[in-house]
């Protein structure tokens, strides 16, 4: 009886066992990478808008405060997009003939809102609240990045649940004084002197001594002080921020 | 014919032979490989496959409608949120258990009579687990996120709740399926090599050749094979017990009267073996008749299986008795209501309850008598009734306990709809379709083990005759 398989089948069999393992492992890795890639999360992906609105120009160039347009961010769960009237409060006077702004003028004339394309769209079963974050010391920067450097807006963070929970578990890594919420350039290192002044002003003697021990206040140290001041539940607190009911009502 | 074995004293006073007379290595191999390789495609096989395939179509249609419209197509309502899907899940997984019991536990106990039934009992396990494994996914309201039940690092930073028996189920059933598949496949290796060597067709040679993974039957192969087979049997044995225990936790861990019962784990396992053996008998009796395998699946096998069925049936009966006794003894009004009052025996499902008692307790008592164990028709009918009875048992446990529990304002009966039935019948179709394909392409009886058995029986006979272990075939 002739042999069924050529001797090369031995190599083939061995290779297929190893290959199979690698294919399986590779499939898992590729899936892992794809669901975390910009393809899925849209991080750093610029979407087209009816008007090419530049945060860079309006915030950095003109120094407009975030709340001038996003008016409800301190009171409402929804930060809000400015209505056409807000745009026209300036653009009825300047760049009145700009073709770029034609949709804005049309919107006012026809009393039809501009249809912006939403960049940060969490699912509707997630009840995100802007006001609580802004009032408890989370700056715009922590979630939206350097908006003042974005010619066209993009998403800086994935807005995935794991990313939210990371901060809800360790909020002290991101807390900042309420005065600096809208300051996109602020950081503990850059504004160390101001931070020290803040600690000197706000902390009681004992915690001040502890925080300023090495003549440097780190983000974690400041965060702990702020968490206590603003009553932000940190890890081990009896009402943790990681409870389902916090976001998934 | 009577008693070749009792001369050695090893198997006691066996009245029936474990293998037909005069079998050698070659005859066993010829006969068993012929079913797969030489046999022409039989009309009865085609008919059986066609009918079961029609039910597979029904299954696929039911699943499609289910996925399109949701679980609302079933007769589920607020108090009874577990209906046919869970009843059938437990039923199928229970059927699967006899296969592992036969192949693993009886192997550890060195029971020779397992040899001729273990292969298709293991296949039965696999196909029953395949049917069972679908229900926990299909009865999810959102089946497409079933993988959230697995622990894997994800962007939600979420893990399954390891305190839920439904999560234990995921691990139990997937482990059970994997180990059963491995055990079955390891057992198949020498037989696949046998088929490879006997196949005349080039394609069949290639397929069996790849599947047999270069099995040459060397002494080293056999030594390692025996070790791994025994190890797998040792692993599969606690698995059988724990898998159905975990399935019973789905109920026993709850607070529902009729579910919260500590006797559930052993009684569910016994019930699983009971129904599993019933299914093995239901399949073995026609199989040996159609394929003329009475030399291999002898009356002795049927007799032994009937005895195991009787023994486990009595444990199940004890389980029912204990449930009722504790309901009376425990003085909990809800449990009394469920077990002895208008809950199960005298409630809206009384007919199911008493049918269950008849099928599972009364009728199997016939197995005490030799005439019932030896009469193939009677045995076959009993085995079918036990299958029905064990299905009713799961129905009674799941449905009656939910339909009338603590709050009378919350009482509601459950009536299965067409889609409940179609999915159930559909999985039966899937099961039989797989089984028909299995019979055609793989040896339904373990060839190498039957050869070993033939050798041993022959060896013992010769020992008895002339004191020399002479066999009438070479031991390659």
């Amino acid at each position: 009886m002739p042999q069924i398989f050529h001797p090369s089948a031995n190599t083939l069999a061995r290779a297929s066992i190893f290959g199979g393992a690698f294919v399986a492992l590779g499939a898992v890795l590729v899936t892992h990478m794809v669901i975390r890639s910009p393809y899925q999360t849209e991080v750093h992906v610029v979407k087209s808008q009816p008007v090419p609105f530049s945060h860079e120009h309006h915030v950095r160039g003109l120094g407009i405060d975030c709340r001038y347009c996003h008016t409800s961010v301190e009171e409402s769960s929804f930060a809000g997009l400015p209505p056409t009237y807000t745009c026209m409060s300036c653009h009825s006077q300047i760049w009145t003939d700009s073709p770029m702004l034609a949709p804005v003028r049309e919107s006012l004339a026809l009393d039809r809102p501009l249809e912006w394309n939403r960049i940060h769209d969490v699912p509707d079963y997630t009840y995100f609240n802007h006001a609580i974050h802004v009032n408890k010391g989370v700056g715009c920067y922590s979630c939206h990045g350097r908006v003042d450097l974005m010619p066209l807006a993009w998403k800086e963070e994935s807005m995935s649940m794991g990313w939210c929970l990371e901060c809800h578990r360790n909020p002290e890594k991101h807390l900042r004084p309420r005065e600096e919420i809208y300051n996109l350039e602020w950081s503990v290192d850059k504004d160390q002197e101001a931070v020290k002044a803040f600690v000197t002003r706000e902390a009681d003697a004992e915690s001040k001594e502890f925080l300023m021990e090495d003549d440097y206040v780190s983000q974690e140290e400041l965060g702990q002080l702020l968490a206590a001041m603003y009553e932000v539940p940190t890890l081990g607190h009896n009402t943790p921020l990681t409870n389902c009911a916090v976001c998934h009502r | 014919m009577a008693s070749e074995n009792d001369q050695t004293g090893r198997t006691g006073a066996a009245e029936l032979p474990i293998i037909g007379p005069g079998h050698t290595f070659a005859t066993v191999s010829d006969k068993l490989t012929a079913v797969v390789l030489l046999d022409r495609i039989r009309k009865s096989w085609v008919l059986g496959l066609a009918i079961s395939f029609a039910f597979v179509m029904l299954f696929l249609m039911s699943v499609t409608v289910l996925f399109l419209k949701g679980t609302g197509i079933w007769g589920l309502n607020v108090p009874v949120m577990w209906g046919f899907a869970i009843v059938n899940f437990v039923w199928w997984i229970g059927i699967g258990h006899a296969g592992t019991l036969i192949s693993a536990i009886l192997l550890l106990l060195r029971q020779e009579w397992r040899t001729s039934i273990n292969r298709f009992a293991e296949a039965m396990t696999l196909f029953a687990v395949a049917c069972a494994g679908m229900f926990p996914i299909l009865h999810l309201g959102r089946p497409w996120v079933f993988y959230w039940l697995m622990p894997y690092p994800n962007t939600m930073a979420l893990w399954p709740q390891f305190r839920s028996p439904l999560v234990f189920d995921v691990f139990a059933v997937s482990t059970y399926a994997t180990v059963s598949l491995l055990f079955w496949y390891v057992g198949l290796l020498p037989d696949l090599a046998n088929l490879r060597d006997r196949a005349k067709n080039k394609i069949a040679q290639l397929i069996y050749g790849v599947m047999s993974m270069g099995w040459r039957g060397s002494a080293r192969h056999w030594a390692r094979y025996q070790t791994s087979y025994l190890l797998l049997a040792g692993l599969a044995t606690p698995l059988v017990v724990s898998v159905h225990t975990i399935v019973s936790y789905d109920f026993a861990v709850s607070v529902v009267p009729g579910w919260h019962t500590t006797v559930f784990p052993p009684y569910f396992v016994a019930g699983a073996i009971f129904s599993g053996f019933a299914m093995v008998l239901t399949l073995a009796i026609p199989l040996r008749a159609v394929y003329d395998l009475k030399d291999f699946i002898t009356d002795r096998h049927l007799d032994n299986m009937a005895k195991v069925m009787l023994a486990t049936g009595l444990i199940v009966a004890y389980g029912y008795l204990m449930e009722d006794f504790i309901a009376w003894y425990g003085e909990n009004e809800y449990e009394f209501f469920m077990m002895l009052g208008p809950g199960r025996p005298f409630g809206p499902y009384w007919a199911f309850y008493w049918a269950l008692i008849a099928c599972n307790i009364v009728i199997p008592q016939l197995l005490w008598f030799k005439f019932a164990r030896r009469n193939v028709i009677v045995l076959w009918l009993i085995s079918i009734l036990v299958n029905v009875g064990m299905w009713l048992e799961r129905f009674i446990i799941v449905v009656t306990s939910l339909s009338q529990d603590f709050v009378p304002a919350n009482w509601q009966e459950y009536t299965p709809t067409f889609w409940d039935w179609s999915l159930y019948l559909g999985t039966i179709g899937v099961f039989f379709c797989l089984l028909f394909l299995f019979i055609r392409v793989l040896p339904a009886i373990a060839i190498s083990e039957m050869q070993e058995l033939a050798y041993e029986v022959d060896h013992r006979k010769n020992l008895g005759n002339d004191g020399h272990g002479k066999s009438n075939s070479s031991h390659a």
Side-chain angles (χ1 to χ4, degrees):
Chain A
M1 194 175 77
Q3 290 292 322
I4 303 172
F5 296 102
H6 190 260
S8 67
N10 285 334
T11 317
L12 206 64
R14 287 194 193 102
S16 70
I17 293 169
F18 281 105
F22 281 118
V23 165
L25 197 69
V28 171
L29 275 177
V30 166
T31 315
H32 186 269
M33 282 154 72
V34 166
I35 58 175
R36 284 165 179 78
S37 71
Y39 175 77
Q40 183 72 23
T41 61
E42 299 187 331
V43 168
H44 297 145
V45 173
V46 173
K47 278 189 186 176
S48 75
Q49 301 290 356
V51 181
F53 179 84
S54 167
H55 278 93
E56 190 181 34
H57 171 66
H58 289 84
V59 182
R60 195 171 178 79
L62 305 174
I64 300 174
D65 186 273
C66 305
R67 288 162 291 183
Y68 184 80
C69 299
H70 302 290
T71 50
S72 54
V73 70
E74 290 181 312
E75 295 89 34
S76 165
S77 62
F78 188 59
L81 255 72
T84 306
Y85 289 108
T86 310
C87 309
M88 291 307 273
S89 60
C90 295
H91 288 295
S92 57
Q93 304 295 323
I94 47 176
W95 298 110
T96 48
D97 295 327
S98 162
M100 219 184 261
L101 291 168
V104 185
R105 292 191 295 273
E106 192 187 329
S107 159
L108 186 75
L110 299 175
D111 198 20
R112 189 184 294 154
L114 282 163
E115 286 182 25
W116 299 100
N117 287 318
R118 203 165 172 182
I119 295 162
H120 300 88
D121 195 7
V122 293
D124 290 350
Y125 51 77
T126 311
Y127 293 83
F128 178 78
N129 189 318
H130 265 98
I132 193 72
H133 290 87
V134 167
N135 290 317
K136 296 280 184 180
V138 183
C140 306
Y141 168 78
S142 296
C143 306
H144 297 296
R146 290 298 298 270
V147 179
D148 62 331
L149 300 180
M150 294 179 189
L152 288 168
W154 63 72
K155 215 170 148 186
E156 188 66 27
E157 301 286 350
S158 68
M159 304 284 147
S160 72
M161 183 167 153
W163 172 80
C164 292
L165 284 175
E166 221 169 85
C167 186
H168 275 207
R169 284 178 180 144
N170 303 296
E172 64 277 359
K173 284 184 184 166
H174 299 276
L175 295 182
R176 56 173 69 190
R178 280 183 186 133
E179 303 88 83
E180 309 294 348
I181 296 293
Y182 306 99
N183 182 354
L184 293 161
E185 293 175 50
W186 182 90
S187 84
V188 164
D189 289 332
K190 203 164 143 287
D191 301 87
Q192 182 62 216
E193 291 312 312
V195 169
K196 276 188 212 162
F198 179 84
V199 171
T200 314
R201 195 169 70 240
E202 301 288 345
D204 58 35
E206 199 189 337
S207 30
K208 196 179 106 181
E209 198 191 337
F210 176 70
L211 297 177
M212 307 263 279
E213 208 173 25
D214 49 0
D215 200 37
Y216 172 77
V217 182
S218 69
Q219 171 62 55
E220 272 77 8
E221 286 172 331
L222 177 69
Q224 280 166 12
L225 174 69
L226 291 170
M229 282 172 65
Y230 300 157
E231 297 177 339
V232 177
T234 45
L235 200 68
H237 197 278
N238 56 6
T239 54
L241 285 173
T242 50
N243 191 306
C244 306
V246 171
C247 307
H248 301 293
R249 282 182 271 143
Chain B
M1 183 98 167
S3 172
E4 293 156 327
N5 298 340
D6 44 356
Q7 287 160 345
T8 64
R10 272 179 64 180
T11 47
E15 300 156 61
L16 296 165
I18 202 162
I19 185 169
H23 274 294
T24 64
F25 271 40
T27 58
V28 168
S29 196
D30 284 343
K31 182 118 186 173
L32 292 176
T33 51
V35 176
V36 177
L37 295 174
L38 303 177
D39 217 2
R40 269 202 238 123
I41 292 179
R42 292 159 184 250
K43 282 205 181 96
S44 58
W45 181 84
V46 173
L47 185 70
L49 187 68
I51 292 171
S52 18
F53 195 72
F55 280 96
V56 174
M57 291 290 114
L58 182 68
F59 169 78
L60 292 175
M61 189 174 76
S62 310
V63 172
T64 308
V65 174
L66 176 71
F67 283 176
L68 287 175
K69 294 195 171 177
T71 47
I73 59 168
W74 294 340
L76 299 174
N77 215 323
V78 166
V80 187
M81 294 304 283
W82 278 4
F84 265 35
I86 300 299
V87 173
N88 299 333
F89 163 65
V90 183
W91 188 71
W92 274 122
I93 201 98
I95 284 172
H97 279 44
T100 318
L101 186 100
I102 288 169
S103 51
I105 298 180
L106 296 185
L107 179 77
L108 293 182
L109 297 175
R110 305 258 174 226
Q111 293 296 308
E112 283 179 334
W113 62 275
R114 82 179 260 289
T115 304
S116 55
I117 47 175
N118 77 325
R119 173 66 44 70
F120 80 88
E122 281 168 46
M124 184 195 81
T125 294
L126 284 176
F127 306 148
V129 171
C131 292
M134 289 188 285
F135 281 108
I137 293 171
L138 294 177
H139 95 128
L140 296 173
R142 295 176 179 83
W144 51 90
V145 288
F146 74 94
Y147 59 89
W148 286 1
L149 287 161
M150 301 299 280
Y152 68 99
N154 54 54
T155 59
M156 302 175 291
L158 270 187
W159 290 76
Q161 170 58 279
F162 287 105
R163 284 183 281 190
S164 166
L166 302 181
V167 172
F168 308 167
D169 272 349
V170 176
F171 293 96
V173 175
S174 55
T175 310
Y176 188 53
T178 316
V179 172
S180 303
L181 182 68
L182 268 178
F183 192 43
W184 180 70
Y185 186 63
V186 168
L188 268 170
L189 283 174
D191 290 0
L192 288 166
N194 196 332
L195 289 171
R196 170 199 65 197
D197 296 342
R198 282 167 171 263
K200 298 278 178 283
N201 177 333
K202 186 77 188 163
I203 295 166
Q205 277 182 345
L206 279 174
I207 292 172
Y208 290 123
V210 169
M211 284 178 73
S212 60
M213 291 187 162
W215 178 269
R216 297 188 309 276
S218 73
R220 191 176 292 177
H221 279 185
W222 277 110
R224 288 184 181 158
Y225 166 87
Q226 298 283 11
T227 313
S228 59
Y229 200 58
L230 204 62
L231 279 175
L232 278 170
L235 280 174
T237 303
L239 254 186
V240 188
V241 177
S242 62
V243 168
H244 220 65
T245 295
I246 285 166
V247 170
S248 84
Y249 285 168
D250 294 350
F251 308 99
V253 164
S254 77
V255 296
V256 177
W259 283 11
H260 186 70
T261 310
T262 51
V263 78
F264 265 17
Y267 139 65
F268 263 56
V269 173
I273 297 164
F274 186 44
S275 67
F277 268 91
M279 189 56 107
V280 175
L281 278 173
T282 310
L283 302 177
I285 290 168
L287 180 78
R288 72 174 203 156
V290 173
Y291 284 95
D292 191 25
L293 297 171
K294 282 182 185 156
D295 274 0
F296 300 134
I297 304 174
T298 65
D299 288 343
R300 165 96 168 272
H301 293 97
L302 302 188
D303 191 64
N304 282 356
M305 284 195 273
K307 283 176 185 164
V308 176
M309 218 164 80
L310 177 64
T312 48
L314 289 172
I315 301 175
V316 169
Y318 175 79
Y320 297 157
L321 187 71
M322 267 306 119
E323 278 187 324
D324 290 344
F325 170 72
I326 294 295
W328 167 77
Y329 187 66
E331 293 192 335
N332 178 309
E333 57 179 314
Y334 297 104
E335 206 174 333
F336 190 90
F337 174 93
M338 183 51 60
M339 297 299 183
L340 299 166
R344 284 177 189 172
F346 310 111
Y349 298 100
W350 64 272
F352 294 80
Y353 181 82
W354 293 108
L356 149 73
I357 298 292
C359 291
N360 281 1
I361 301 185
V362 180
I363 294 168
Q365 299 311 315
L366 285 172
L367 299 173
W368 285 103
F369 306 103
K370 210 177 268 177
F371 81 88
R373 298 200 302 269
R374 297 287 159 79
N375 187 323
V376 175
I377 303 290
V378 173
L379 193 57
W380 197 61
L381 291 176
I382 291 176
S383 74
I384 288 173
L385 282 176
V386 168
N387 277 318
V388 174
M390 284 309 291
W391 186 87
L392 285 170
E393 181 197 296
R394 278 66 178 247
F395 180 85
I396 287 289
I397 289 173
V398 171
V399 175
T400 59
S401 306
L402 289 175
S403 67
Q404 301 179 29
D405 66 353
F406 295 111
V407 185
N410 198 28
W411 288 2
Q412 178 78 48
E413 282 163 36
Y414 162 76
T415 313
T417 60
F418 170 79
W419 297 110
D420 282 301
W421 283 110
S422 67
L423 195 65
Y424 175 42
L425 294 175
T427 51
I428 293 178
V430 172
F431 177 80
F432 278 101
C433 197
L434 289 167
L435 204 67
F436 277 116
L437 292 174
F438 160 73
I439 288 171
R440 192 71 195 94
V441 299
L442 291 169
I445 293 178
I447 302 167
S448 64
E449 290 181 45
M450 284 309 287
Q451 287 173 325
E452 194 184 335
L453 185 70
Y455 170 78
E456 292 214 348
V457 168
D458 184 51
H459 186 70
R460 257 179 258 150
K461 192 171 73 182
N462 291 338
L463 268 182
N465 290 346
D466 58 14
H468 290 96
K470 184 173 68 69
S471 79
N472 50 9
S473 63
S474 65
H475 197 198

